[in-house]
Amino acid sequence: MNEPKTPAASVLYRRSLRKRYLFVGIALLLTVLLLGLGITTGAMNLSLPEVWNALFHRSGSPGEHIVLNLRLPRLLAAVASGGALALAGAVMQIVLRNPLGSPFTLGISNAAAFGAALAYLLLGNPALKPAGPDTWLGLQNALVTVSAFVWAALGSLFVIFVSRKKGATPENMILTGIIVNTFFMALTSVLQFLADDVQLGSIVFWTFGDLSKSTWNTLLLQALVIVPVFLYFLKHNLRFNALDAGDQVAGSLGINVHRFRMHCILLTSLLTASIVAFYGIIAFVGLIIPHIIRILIGNDARFLVPASLVLGTMFMLLCDMLSRSLFSPLVIPVGIVTSILGAPLFVLLLIKGNKR
Amino acid sequence: MIQITVKDVAYAYGRKQVLRGISHVFEPGTFTAIMGKNGSGKTTLLHCINKMAAGFSGEIHLGASDVRRLTLEELAQVTAFVPQGQDAVFGSSVFETVLLGRLPFMTWAPSETDYQIVDEVLAALQLQHFSTTDIRHISGGERQKVFIARAIAQKTPVILLDEPVTYLDIKHQLEIMTLLQELAQRGYNIVMVVHDLNLALTFCSRFLFLKNGNVVYGGDQSQINEALVESVFEVGASTMRDATGRRLFSFEVKD
């Protein structure tokens, strides 16, 4: 009689890959469902055919205005911000070799926020200008993003500088994050102190993290950032696994570790800035989503990176729905919802992590 | 089959001169132990060979290729490296860790050949039974075997190892040394930094003794005597024979 043969290791591995593909597939499906739900429900409920007509057969109905100018930009803003922040968090955690890496915990969100506030103060608030085809508005938006990006990059470079001087231990990184956070919050406070009432209002409101500020131009700009950065990460996601094994291992596998890490930090800063500059600070998404994925399907970056994008989107769509429905008709800024949901989730993760 | 030729290599960390003109030829088919006191430049020499210590003076050739002219990608197809102490932050399975060794040959995803090589290496090292286990959850000895498996899966003619057996129990030390010895016998060029002289004498075929960044001795074990050992390691040393007639050293602290 033949003994039952153990399958080859690669067979077992490929079976585990199927589960991961399935996970990403289901998450994508749920995201599409949430998008459908988000676009049909609200103060005025619309049927799917009504949404379809609004999208593809322009008739000037009130439904069309709601779908094209209110709901769709907002939902796509949730997609962009959730996806970009979770992606940035996943990549930061890997390249900084730190489970607590995220645009927010390392202070990069606040640095970007300061950069954006500075630009708003120097340029005037584009949100207050009349809407419409206005090249100056587009230029201002671009300058705000550039300023947010530059400061986000400066914040990241400071984190890298300290980690190179003192070693990138989790403790050092988080302490550095606290320093960067506190410093830029203080600088933003100075700007708030100097701002006039209108500017102050817009700076404070904007730090809340609110998706209703999204426009088609903003979304286009974000797509131009997120899509290429995501493709870059996807192209190099095998390298992320090597980085987790340590710098020396990654180097011996043919990776220029220093250069790759720098590229990743700059690109995650760009992702963060492209969101924070327009919607304000949205905390915890970048920190928590990658960890949830690690618990569910493991650490393989080939899945972690795309799954972060998808799950980040899903989480943000859920938070957006909550922000609109919890105190309806009052809409709470989504940044508040992510923090309120994120904090207890994070505590759970910490406890679970310590048990291991 | 690749020879490593190190010629007049010097290296300094800032003002601290670590290597002062090292010359040595590592032949294919040999298992070389680089030995010396802490700080004698052993690890730095390995790092110069695989370009981790950039900016050394002198020349290093892998076969006919100047190491300086090789890109990191090209180098990764010639040398594999097992560094000292590796801690994965997030961890991965044994299979995934060994699969990493195929990274220099992948573009988007692992190929059939990559999977086949990993299967073969895991089976050869008897690691296939816990291929799905997280490497953080296996013993130090098994983990070290996994790291060596990753280096073997890289299918490079040269494997450099930095103290691969230092923290291991005797059984795992013997297993890993036997494995490396077999690889050398199959034509691999194995270069290892190691502290245990008696273990090295049992398994290695060549020896490179460093002291203060200089080569004190390079050759087989026939010329290794008490005076040399006393001078290199700054201890009292005396030789003895074990039951099989093998020459071993015992040591004592020298005043």
Side-chain angles (χ1 to χ4, degrees), chain A residues 54 101 137 139 182 218 242 310-311 315 331:
Chain A
L137 182 66
L139 182 68
T182 316
T218 315
V310 178
L311 239 71
F315 179 73
V331 177

Side-chain angles (χ1 to χ4, degrees), chain B:
Chain B
M1 297 285 208
I2 284 208
Q3 174 180 284
I4 310 168
T5 313
V6 177
K7 198 174 161 193
D8 220 13
V9 166
Y11 186 82
Y13 290 108
R15 285 187 187 166
K16 191 169 184 276
Q17 194 71 34
V18 185
L19 298 178
R20 303 163 192 271
I22 304 276
S23 295
H24 187 76
V25 177
F26 299 91
E27 300 283 355
T30 61
F31 182 9
T32 307
I34 302 182
M35 306 195 71
K37 280 174 55 185
N38 289 335
S40 58
K42 306 178 296 292
T43 298
T44 307
L45 178 58
L46 285 190
H47 285 180
C48 288
I49 295 172
N50 72 359
K51 276 183 92 159
M52 263 170 217
F56 59 85
S57 65
E59 284 178 30
I60 297 178
H61 281 85
L62 291 168
S65 316
D66 185 340
V67 162
R68 284 201 189 88
R69 289 177 190 277
L70 291 175
T71 62
L72 283 176
E73 288 88 349
E74 289 165 343
L75 193 67
Q77 306 197 2
V78 186
T79 66
F81 180 53
V82 180
Q84 191 184 348
Q86 304 171 44
D87 289 315
V89 180
F90 298 108
S92 51
S93 72
V94 167
F95 189 91
E96 286 164 333
T97 305
V98 178
L99 188 63
L100 268 187
R102 302 304 303 157
L103 189 67
F105 308 91
M106 287 181 207
T107 41
W108 284 92
S111 67
E112 275 307 313
T113 320
D114 295 325
Y115 284 130
Q116 205 181 328
I117 288 170
V118 174
D119 273 338
E120 282 166 15
V121 174
L122 287 174
L125 272 68
Q126 292 170 335
L127 292 167
Q128 73 273 40
H129 300 300
F130 40 94
S131 72
T132 54
T133 314
D134 190 313
I135 51 159
R136 293 169 302 175
H137 302 152
I138 58 178
S139 75
E142 301 294 359
R143 197 177 309 135
Q144 197 63 28
K145 267 168 85 175
V146 173
F147 294 146
I148 293 172
R150 179 184 60 217
I152 297 172
Q154 214 170 324
K155 292 267 173 191
T156 55
V158 175
I159 300 179
L160 311 171
L161 305 101
D162 195 359
E163 297 190 36
V165 293
T166 300
Y167 301 106
L168 304 188
D169 60 39
I170 297 169
K171 177 173 173 280
H172 280 109
Q173 286 192 14
L174 295 181
E175 273 180 21
I176 284 171
M177 293 299 276
T178 307
L179 173 73
L180 295 171
Q181 191 182 40
E182 283 167 7
L183 287 173
Q185 282 160 359
R186 279 160 46 195
Y188 283 82
N189 195 339
I190 309 283
V191 180
M192 175 177 83
V193 169
V194 62
H195 281 297
D196 187 336
L197 179 59
N198 288 327
L199 192 69
L201 285 170
T202 311
F203 290 95
C204 297
S205 55
R206 292 287 185 282
F207 297 82
L208 180 67
F209 286 176
L210 301 184
K211 187 174 181 183
N212 300 326
N214 292 302
V215 173
V216 184
Y217 175 76
D220 65 12
Q221 58 175 282
S222 63
Q223 307 294 313
I224 298 173
N225 55 34
E226 289 164 350
L228 178 66
V229 171
E230 288 190 348
S231 143
V232 171
F233 299 100
E234 296 177 11
V235 290
S238 49
T239 51
M240 54 186 178
R241 300 269 170 190
D242 72 1
T244 62
R246 231 178 4 209
R247 198 164 54 110
L248 298 172
F249 282 85
S250 68
F251 309 98
E252 60 185 11
V253 175
K254 202 164 69 171
D255 294 326

Side-chain angles (χ1 to χ4, degrees), chain A residues 9 15 19 25 33 39 42 45 54 63 72 90 128 188 231 236 245 259 264 288 304 328 337 341 343-344:
Chain A
R15 267 184 215 159
K19 276 184 211 154
L33 283 177
I39 207 158
N45 287 339
L72 202 53
L128 300 175
T188 309
L231 290 177
H236 293 297
R259 194 194 294 161
C264 288
I288 285 174
L304 179 67
S328 178
V337 179
L341 270 184

